Amino acid sequence: MPDEETLEEGVLDPVKPEVQDPLLQSILAEAAAPTAPTELEEKLEIPVTPDEVDCVVIGTGAGGAPLLARLAMAGLKVVALEAGPWHDPKKDFATDEKAQEFLFWNDERLSAGKNPLAYGKNNSGTGVGGSTLHYTAYTPRPQPADLHLHRDFGVGQDWPFGYEELEPYLEEVEQFLGVSGPTPYPWGPARRKGYALAPLPLNGAAQLMQRGCEKLGIRTSPAANAALSARYYQEGVGWREACTNRGFCQAGCSTGAKASMDVTFLPLAVAHGAEIRPGSYVTEIERDASGRVTGVVYQQNGTELRQRCRHLFLCAGAIETPRLLLLNELALSSGHVGRNFMAHPGVQVFGTFEESVRPFKGIPGALISEDTHRPKGADFAGGYLLQSIGIMPVTFAGQVARGRGYWGEKLRAYMRQYNHVAGINILGDCLPAAENFLELAEEKDARGLPKPRLHFTTQPNEQRLSDHAEKLMRQIWEAAGATDIWSFARNAHVIGTARMGLSGDDAVVDANGRAFDVPNLYICDNSVFPSALSVNPALTIMALSLRTADKFLENLK
């Protein structure tokens, strides 16, 4: 997947840089002109009342949106609070990297450790739909072995349930979203249903990776992507149009072909009576004398509001979820809130080709290989997948500057061959480590709240995994005919800061997502992952969201 790192901007609504280009100035001026609210926006502008609702859901991304729809469809009175605004993809999403930076969670987050991570657009979004507004739609399934790393290697942490519990939900999400992919899929157990749609076309990087892998005897396949290769009818939404292969998935999909939550699960939730309140930043979680959650306090348009609830679902991601728990001294008895912080190794290798690649075209992650899921003779626990990558020019220029130290004319000269560059990257396992954690800093944000500070140091297991992968990717590009091959070290996705488990001694929530300390608090996002998984997390988060909702509804009965 493309590099997802950026410098921090400071606040959710940072000061916009001055735009010099006259055409872009006119486009932005037109976009800023006031427009009449759409029918959906009018539905969402619901007056806040003191009435108690069945459930409040904090966050509308991959963790919050599916369960919000499920709870609403069950007839419960549910309200979702989203820190960011509601975007209109057709009007708000441009094929322009810089113009789309408003999609990222740009509140400042502090980084520490020997390998501090960048945030901003590193898998952290704001707006109704959360990070799925700018994820690249890569949706491979985890393999069964991903859920029991400790059983297989004696390190890390196993999930409190097996793959068979997750598989029906993985299939349901794939069919609902209209995932495009190969049938049959070459790796993992046989599947009851194939992918909803045929694979998307292979872009230039994918074709070159395929050529190199064939020469080395490495199996490849078109990848599973939550972007439509054909028109697709979706319950509660209607017909969604096919992907146009313009490649700017990370900048926001203007056609609705990419299955972000704002065009999939959230319209379904609204159709069944859910309320979504954008621009609602939660600061407090209120409890009664027995410790049960009674409501939340949030800021909206400069006003502090309160919403009472019978149950709370915290789905704010692996940074904001533990931050809210720490701010409110909630569910802390295990001592594991903010601990077990993991980040996928995601080293990238680029090469230059005689052929025209045009790396901005097509679905970014078009080709996959899972032959490295458990490499033979490896000196590390776990494994990784290989993925071709499409990458946008501004993002790539930043990586060249940081990764190769090119500046000025040297950088400009290299970027002139951008259309002849192709990349591969990995997505690998990461083990929890005591020195990798999140805490509250003394420094305050614009709202007067302590900023999150995340410590991350690459551990020996991840370093050996990355070294193994980099060597193999260089061999693939050599076999494919690349020159000027170089690597860019990076990490992707933040995981595991409120993990699930069998006991409150070493976990924050149980196997059903319910907090051990608080009987009416549920957590559902990538913070609850006991292990990182050697696949991109979005599909698993959505599947887990539906499972959490079903377990909750069963408990209500």
Side-chain angles (χ1 to χ4, degrees), residues 238-471:
W239 287 98
R240 290 170 51 218
E241 297 301 321
C243 174
T244 59
N245 293 297
R246 67 189 180 96
F248 274 68
C249 307
Q250 194 179 326
C253 180
S254 61
T255 66
K258 185 180 78 171
S260 51
M261 298 299 94
D262 60 320
V263 297
T264 55
F265 279 107
L266 293 177
L268 181 62
V270 170
H272 286 85
E275 299 177 20
I276 302 175
R277 298 177 187 161
S280 300
Y281 186 92
V282 177
T283 57
E284 295 180 42
I285 299 173
E286 298 182 319
R287 288 157 285 170
D288 62 18
S290 70
R292 293 178 65 88
V293 171
T294 58
V296 297
V297 175
Y298 62 100
Q299 298 174 2
Q300 186 182 64
N301 299 323
T303 303
E304 193 169 80
L305 302 166
R306 174 179 285 103
Q307 177 60 63
R308 296 188 297 126
C309 62
R310 298 180 183 89
H311 306 276
L312 178 63
F313 289 81
L314 187 48
C315 312
I319 297 178
E320 292 304 311
T321 284
R323 184 190 186 196
L324 264 174
L325 295 176
L326 291 170
L327 283 170
N328 288 276
E329 299 182 350
L330 192 63
L332 303 183
S333 68
S334 69
H336 280 263
V337 171
R339 314 299 299 186
N340 313 303
F341 174 56
M342 297 172 281
H344 283 130
V347 60
Q348 298 176 331
V349 175
F350 294 97
T352 301
F353 293 84
E354 290 185 6
E355 298 94 331
S356 178
V357 180
R358 297 189 179 183
F360 59 91
K361 284 187 172 290
I363 193 75
L367 195 75
I368 190 171
S369 177
E370 292 196 57
D371 275 7
T372 52
H373 180 255
R374 293 291 183 265
K376 292 181 180 179
D379 59 351
F380 52 84
Y384 58 92
L385 60 79
L386 292 165
Q387 173 190 344
S388 65
I389 50 174
I391 188 164
M392 294 181 284
V394 176
T395 298
F396 184 59
Q399 292 185 193
V400 174
R402 298 198 306 278
R404 307 196 80 175
Y406 289 0
W407 301 93
E409 179 54 37
K410 196 170 186 179
L411 175 60
R412 289 194 293 272
Y414 182 81
M415 286 303 296
R416 291 188 189 105
Q417 62 184 2
Y418 164 74
N419 280 324
H420 291 265
V421 172
I424 318 174
N425 76 206
I426 68 162
L427 202 291
D429 270 309
C430 179
L431 302 178
E435 58 191 300
N436 294 337
F437 63 94
L438 176 150
E439 64 180 350
L440 298 181
E442 298 78 13
E443 189 175 328
K444 302 294 175 61
D445 65 12
R447 301 178 186 85
L449 301 173
K451 295 178 180 178
R453 178 165 51 225
L454 294 103
H455 298 252
F456 188 79
T457 298
T458 299
Q459 302 299 307
N461 190 75
E462 288 74 68
Q463 189 59 59
R464 292 192 295 269
L465 184 152
S466 294
D467 291 344
H468 183 282
E470 182 180 338
K471 180 180 178 181

Side-chain angles (χ1 to χ4, degrees), residues 36 48 139 167 226 263 273 383 443 456 510 542 548:
V48 180
T139 48
E167 184 177 24
V263 297
E443 189 175 328
F456 188 79
D510 65 17
M542 293 180 226
T548 300

